[in-house]
Amino acid sequence: MLTDPTIISGTIRSYEGLAQEYRWRIPERFNIAEAICGRHARERPDDPSIIEDDPGGGHRVISFAGLEVLSDRVASGLARLGIVRGDRVAVTLEQGVDTLAVHLACFKLGAISVPIASLYGTQGLAYRIDDCGARIIITDSVGAAKLASPNRPTSLEHIVVAGDLHPGSSLTFTELTSAGGPEVGCADTAADDPAMLFYTSGTTGPAKGALHAHRVLIGHLPGFQMVFDLAPRRGDVFWTPSAWSWVASLVELVLPALYFGHPVVATSERFSIQGAYRVLAEHGVTCPFLAPAALRRMRTEPPDPATRFSLRAIMTGGEASPPEVLEWTRRTLGATVNDIYGQTEANHIASGCSALFETPHGAIGRPVVGRRTRIVDAEGKESDPGRSGEITLWKDDPIVMLGYWGRPEKTEEKIADGWIRTGDAGYLDERGFLHFQGRLDDMIMAGGYRLGPEEIEGALLAHDAVMEVGVVGLPDPERGEIVAACVRLKSGFEPSDLLANELQNFVVQRLAAHARPRRVEFVQSLPATSSGKTQRAALRRLLLENRQSEKLAP
């Protein structure tokens, strides 16, 4: 019987055998910082942990011992500022050793790290800090500017800036790590103690904070091994261009790779096709996470035939990948491509694994080894194979969140009768492959980002010209979906291309660039239910009809 948290053990090399024999082993005491760094710093101090990429070629390699020292200094600095067990520390930084050291420092103190993507605007950033009551944020000068008075959240005591001191900030990251402070070890945490707070995309109302325990790392190990074709293997190097603010990048790739003692490449430059090829080739990356949107873009500009890659398995997910993109990736980059499925509250529920099985077209893969997944109908009854329903997961799985921060009633709605409800539609076929069919709610998947229409609507309603607005996703061949907004203007305002552009920029400034409505239509009224709620299905049909009419127009 397998009791190790990893699945590659003994002689079992079939999915069926692993699924039947696997048993979770969750230790009573567990701390992510010790698991991914502390023990390696003692046993293999000189092995590389983070490789900081430099487009100019001067790459910086940080050993596990170096990462341990830096995270100790950050922990000491945070303790000097009064951070104790249970406090929330917001982290809004790009990829790099400093970012990881902050997370490790929080774990060592028993505090809770709150990763927030730097692409959020003033409103999106301030809302998340206010909601969780973070006492400190560690960010860059851009992030500090977003929080300048009067936008500074009331809970925020210190703004620590990586770089030059910015007006309104307390100290620089260098000052935080160089000043004296108490000597800090590693907190003796239970596996169920809180560790990280990730915010959802606001699919049903305001964004909610999904609180995860230290055990979440253990919960992701089998899926990590599956999606990277029985990882780790000797010489494996991992990388993703996605910011380390999302569950899919930080918890699915960065933390498991370090747990197994393998290096992760950190890149600071924005994603570009040629930049991606350079990083993959120069660092000998074997296992990257590349979103479908990235693969689609790369297909439009193939690499130089002379480029030599070390790729063997690519993780993708978040939206469907056309078969031609997958085939191009396998043929051109020389790697298998495995899909994943999950969400912020319970990530990596199902996965492809070319080393164990061939996933049929249209399916995600199979439930990750160790998962108890079922499909239920509207009454909560388990559906037969092939019948569509809601995808659910057993609540005691270690990947399942502890709950929504400060929202017990929402937690009870999400986790009920022993199962966590995803709100997604799908089915398990006769062979146990999971087929994702869409969202039961109205979430938008644009360019790899999960977007909630209500949050975008809220941003647009703050504009002086907007009386009423409805936001939906429309199919798009390049981005999967685009954000489309139907706007009813207040009296005194007239529709124009200039105003549409102003509204688009307004959303970017208040939320994030990926939330920008790429289509803005001005309407006289919005389809609504008897209770006054926007009928998004009717709105989507209207927009699709209008788009078709535009194509047919002479």
Side-chain angles (χ1 to χ4, degrees):
M1 178 182 296
L2 296 176
T3 56
D4 191 87
T6 61
I7 66 171
I8 312 308
S9 177
T11 59
I12 299 176
R13 286 296 184 271
S14 72
Y15 173 82
E16 291 77 11
L18 290 167
Q20 181 178 359
E21 297 295 325
Y22 187 83
R23 298 294 182 273
W24 287 110
R25 186 183 69 182
I26 309 296
E28 182 180 346
R29 318 302 297 179
F30 184 77
N31 188 288
I32 295 175
E34 167 63 16
I36 71 171
C37 185
R39 64 190 178 105
H40 296 317
R42 295 189 299 272
E43 299 166 3
R44 50 173 76 176
D46 297 328
D47 282 9
S49 62
I50 302 297
I51 303 170
E52 288 193 330
D53 174 71
D54 181 349
H59 311 312
R60 177 189 177 206
V61 179
I62 297 87
S63 66
F64 279 103
L67 178 59
E68 178 76 353
V69 169
L70 178 58
S71 60
D72 278 344
R73 289 176 179 170
V74 177
S76 179
L78 291 175
R80 178 169 51 85
L81 295 179
I83 294 298
V84 297
R85 186 185 289 253
D87 282 344
R88 279 75 64 204
V89 176
V91 188
T92 305
L93 292 171
E94 300 301 329
Q95 295 186 12
V97 66
D98 292 349
T99 306
L100 185 59
V102 173
H103 290 298
L104 291 177
C106 292
F107 304 149
K108 289 180 176 182
L109 293 171
I112 301 169
S113 69
V114 187
I116 305 176
S118 58
L119 49 75
Y120 283 110
T122 295
Q123 178 177 301
L125 179 59
Y127 166 79
R128 286 158 175 78
I129 294 172
D130 256 334
D131 184 72
C132 71
R135 296 177 56 197
I136 292 178
I137 183 171
I138 301 180
T139 184
D140 53 22
S141 59
V142 176
K146 295 175 185 176
L147 298 172
S149 182
N151 300 311
R152 182 165 175 153
T154 56
S155 67
L156 206 54
E157 299 173 10
H158 300 281
I159 299 177
V160 180
V161 179
D164 296 333
L165 201 62
H166 188 277
S169 56
S170 303
L171 67 166
T172 65
F173 187 79
T174 300
E175 292 169 338
L176 176 74
T177 56
S178 60
E183 189 171 320
V184 176
C186 188
D188 180 23
T189 52
D192 287 339
D193 283 345
M196 289 179 283
L197 186 65
F198 289 92
Y199 273 84
T200 67
S201 301
T203 60
T204 54
K208 299 180 289 292
L211 183 63
H212 283 281
H214 285 268
R215 70 187 187 207
V216 73
L217 170 58
I218 297 175
H220 275 80
L221 297 181
F224 171 87
Q225 294 191 277
M226 281 182 62
V227 78
F228 288 120
D229 283 346
L230 310 187
R233 299 186 188 179
R234 183 182 296 275
D236 271 348
V237 177
F238 297 84
W239 172 64
T240 177
S242 300
W244 292 357
S245 308
W246 314 105
V247 173
S249 52
L250 183 60
V251 186
E252 282 194 32
L253 184 141
V254 178
L255 300 186
L258 295 174
Y259 174 89
F260 287 114
H262 285 258
V264 177
V265 177
T267 49
S268 57
E269 62 178 353
R270 295 188 63 179
F271 177 84
S272 68
I273 298 172
Q274 292 305 316
Y277 291 144
R278 180 190 62 77
V279 170
L280 293 171
E282 285 188 9
H283 297 290
V285 175
T286 60
C287 300
F289 168 38
L290 297 171
L295 293 175
R296 287 197 300 270
R297 289 182 59 186
M298 293 168 72
R299 180 171 175 257
T300 66
E301 195 175 321
D304 187 313
T307 306
R308 294 292 176 263
F309 297 111
S310 302
L311 294 164
R312 65 173 188 81
I314 297 173
M315 175 172 73
T316 193
E319 57 182 304
S321 294
E324 59 269 22
V325 173
L326 298 179
E327 178 56 33
W328 173 86
T329 304
R330 297 186 187 101
R331 183 179 66 254
T332 306
L333 300 183
T336 59
V337 185
N338 294 316
D339 204 354
I340 56 170
Y341 164 73
Q343 54 185 212
T344 305
E345 297 90 337
N347 202 36
H348 218 158
I349 295 173
S351 171
C353 182
S354 298
L356 295 177
F357 51 78
E358 181 179 351
T359 301
H361 174 61
I364 298 292
R366 283 173 162 168
V368 167
V369 168
R371 306 271 183 264
R372 290 179 59 190
T373 305
R374 68 174 190 171
I375 309 298
V376 300
D377 60 21
E379 285 72 42
K381 181 181 178 181
E382 186 169 3
S383 300
D384 293 331
R387 291 186 64 86
S388 178
E390 183 178 7
I391 303 169
T392 65
L393 177 72
W394 180 240
K395 72 176 181 63
D396 289 336
D397 192 297
I399 64 166
V400 174
M401 67 173 181
L402 295 171
Y404 289 124
W405 184 265
R407 290 175 171 81
E409 71 290 347
K410 292 295 183 182
T411 301
E412 291 178 4
E413 292 176 9
K414 186 72 174 179
I415 305 175
D417 300 324
W419 299 85
I420 181 167
R421 306 178 70 98
T422 65
D424 291 334
Y427 66 92
L428 289 166
D429 65 23
E430 296 286 349
R431 294 189 294 161
F433 285 95
L434 179 66
H435 295 251
F436 174 77
Q437 294 179 303
R439 294 165 292 281
L440 296 176
D441 55 26
D442 295 298
M443 183 169 55
I444 302 166
M445 183 60 67
Y449 295 102
R450 300 167 73 92
L451 301 169
E454 292 188 21
E455 189 172 31
I456 302 172
E457 289 169 354
L460 285 167
L461 285 170
H463 193 281
D464 291 340
V466 177
M467 172 64 74
E468 193 176 11
V469 62
V471 169
V472 297
L474 295 181
D476 181 78
E478 180 178 344
R479 301 178 62 83
E481 284 185 305
I482 60 169
V483 177
C486 281
V487 177
R488 184 165 73 90
L489 297 174
K490 293 179 181 177
S491 176
F493 292 89
E494 295 296 328
S496 69
D497 291 341
L498 183 63
L499 180 55
N501 185 64
E502 182 180 325
L503 293 175
Q504 291 171 325
N505 293 332
F506 190 76
V507 171
V508 171
Q509 293 166 4
R510 296 182 72 85
L511 294 180
H514 65 272
R516 175 180 180 268
R518 293 181 174 268
R519 185 181 180 100
V520 176
E521 286 199 14
F522 298 102
V523 297
Q524 295 297 317
S525 63
L526 295 173
T529 64
S530 58
S531 62
K533 294 183 179 179
T534 301
Q535 290 183 314
R536 291 201 177 90
L539 193 62
R540 189 178 293 108
R541 286 195 299 270
L542 174 65
L543 289 170
L544 289 172
E545 290 170 1
N546 290 350
R547 187 162 69 178
Q548 184 64 24
S549 298
E550 293 170 1
K551 291 180 180 178
L552 296 176

